[in-house]
Amino acid sequence: MKTKVSILPTNMHMNGPGHPESPKRLSTLEALFHKLAREGRIQLSDTAGDTPEDGLDCVFRIYQETHSREYITSLLFREVPTGTVVRLDPDTGFSEGSRKAIIACAKAVETLLQHRKTAGGIHFLAQRPPGHHALRDRSMGFCLVNHAGALVRNILQMDLDARLAVLDFDVHHGNGTEATLRDLNRCLFISTHQYPFYPGTGSGKDNRIDSDGGGILDLPLPEGTDDDDYRHVLREKILPRLEAFRPTDMILSAGFDGHRDDPLGGWLLTEEIFMEIGQSLPPLGCRFIASVLEGGYNSRALSRSVEAYLTGIG
Ligand SMILES: [Zn+2]
């Protein structure tokens, strides 16, 4: 089954000059996706290039269970002078186009939910900004709204038989996603991340196994983690837990900043392991697998890693 890839407009949201979370990340991926589509290896989704001018209702609808109404309102109605960037926290900027970027993300998540309702399948959403650090009431670590959390909450609500597994393989702990999913049934959250490291959470002390097999599995791994180390954790810890839970759907927080060439992370992963992560997903038998882009700040390494991951999953 060919992966359906959606790429959102690259340069609406700005963090300011010299910031690692830059439009170049997506423009490099855009070139990759067009190449892969020409080669017949992926299918570009219809939402590509969509730049909705409206859609405030869509943002509230999609993110209402994940973020407070006050927080969403504060983002959507924030006044930012043209050409400037407001800092929401030391790492996270907000520009005039950020509001449009949030609307585009909400529409893309809504499209994914429609796919889930009809045909299912394998999907990859390439969007900026990333989402897995965004908390209920505040932005954090380059993230404004939490796409993975919103997908899970919406799917669990629309299908009472759904069992959702989230795997967050970004080098940073998915603290925002874990916080929004912490109290849900029929949901298993797994995160591998460098530890100790930003954002400081994910030590493993919150791990639990629910009676339905869900719960939380934080797998902190030290600086210097390489493909062999990660492969061991994938085979010995992650896949057995997923197989025991028997998810109907999988949401991947697909962060590639664990790559050895990434300027932010301290891991030594290569494209090989991202391919293996991708290969391990279809055999789990889920009807819907959706990956959303998180980190990855060396655009060449990001492009090679995403290509390997899509090759593995497709
Ligand atoms: Zn990251």
Side-chain angles (χ1 to χ4, degrees):
M1 187 187 304
K2 261 185 218 167
T3 303
K4 291 192 175 68
V5 174
S6 306
I7 182 151
L8 299 190
T10 58
N11 58 357
M12 294 189 290
H13 168 69
M14 298 294 183
N15 280 300
H19 196 287
E21 205 291 286
S22 72
K24 191 171 179 215
R25 301 178 62 229
L26 275 199
S27 53
T28 306
L29 288 184
E30 195 170 26
L32 168 71
F33 294 146
H34 284 295
K35 176 183 88 90
L36 296 179
R38 277 196 306 275
E39 293 168 359
R41 293 163 64 189
I42 62 165
Q43 187 181 333
L44 279 177
S45 174
D46 294 340
T47 58
D50 188 19
T51 51
E53 291 298 325
D54 57 4
L56 300 184
D57 286 351
C58 181
V59 176
F60 283 108
R61 197 163 57 242
I62 293 300
Y63 295 105
Q64 65 182 351
E65 298 290 326
T66 310
H67 299 289
S68 67
R69 194 166 182 87
E70 293 73 24
Y71 174 62
I72 297 173
T73 303
S74 76
L75 291 178
L76 292 180
F77 297 97
R78 184 176 290 274
E79 297 281 337
V80 184
T82 302
T84 65
V85 173
V86 174
R87 299 242 76 82
L88 301 185
D89 77 8
D91 306 312
T92 315
F94 195 92
S95 66
E96 191 184 23
S98 300
R99 176 175 164 275
K100 276 191 192 170
I102 292 171
I103 293 170
C105 288
K107 293 237 175 186
V109 170
E110 186 161 68
T111 302
L112 284 175
L113 293 170
Q114 282 160 2
H115 284 304
R116 196 274 173 193
K117 209 182 268 181
T118 52
I122 303 176
H123 300 264
F124 188 99
L125 173 60
Q127 87 299 324
R128 296 183 54 245
H132 71 154
H133 296 308
L135 295 161
R136 181 169 175 78
D137 288 302
R138 68 182 166 97
S139 56
M140 183 176 174
F142 313 168
C143 302
L144 299 176
V145 285
N146 196 312
H147 322 295
L151 276 167
V152 171
R153 282 189 160 269
N154 280 285
I155 293 170
L156 286 176
Q157 219 165 41
M158 71 191 201
D159 182 353
L160 296 180
D161 293 322
R163 298 164 60 80
L164 262 291
V166 179
L167 173 59
D168 184 325
F169 59 84
D170 189 279
V171 77
H172 303 97
H173 180 231
N175 62 309
T177 311
E178 182 177 304
T180 192
L181 304 182
R182 182 171 289 145
D183 301 323
L184 297 178
N185 294 321
R186 300 182 283 132
C187 181
L188 169 62
F189 174 81
I190 303 177
S191 176
T192 54
H193 42 271
Q194 184 177 332
Y195 188 88
F197 198 45
Y198 182 90
T201 48
S203 66
K205 70 177 175 49
D206 296 323
N207 287 359
R208 60 158 216 267
I209 302 180
D210 297 342
S211 56
D212 64 4
I216 293 173
L217 178 59
D218 280 329
L219 296 164
L221 299 166
E223 184 177 355
T225 290
D226 64 15
D227 284 0
D228 284 342
D229 301 324
Y230 199 98
R231 187 175 294 117
H232 179 76
V233 169
L234 181 65
R235 292 179 183 173
E236 301 298 322
K237 303 264 174 71
I238 297 173
L239 293 176
R241 183 71 182 267
L242 285 170
E243 282 156 9
F245 179 57
R246 291 178 290 104
T248 56
D249 301 76
M250 273 212 73
I251 306 300
L252 289 302
S253 262
F256 300 89
D257 43 6
H259 193 282
R260 64 183 174 190
D261 294 337
D262 193 275
L264 298 194
W267 281 355
L268 303 172
L269 304 182
T270 73
E271 297 88 295
E272 276 297 308
I273 200 70
F274 295 121
M275 187 180 296
E276 286 185 39
I277 295 171
Q279 282 167 341
S280 68
L281 302 175
L284 293 166
C286 296
R287 74 180 295 256
F288 181 70
I289 302 175
S291 305
V292 292
L293 182 66
E294 302 289 357
Y297 303 101
N298 172 322
S299 55
R300 288 187 59 203
L302 174 64
S303 178
R304 291 200 309 269
S305 301
V306 169
E307 180 172 3
Y309 178 67
L310 290 174
T311 302
I313 204 171

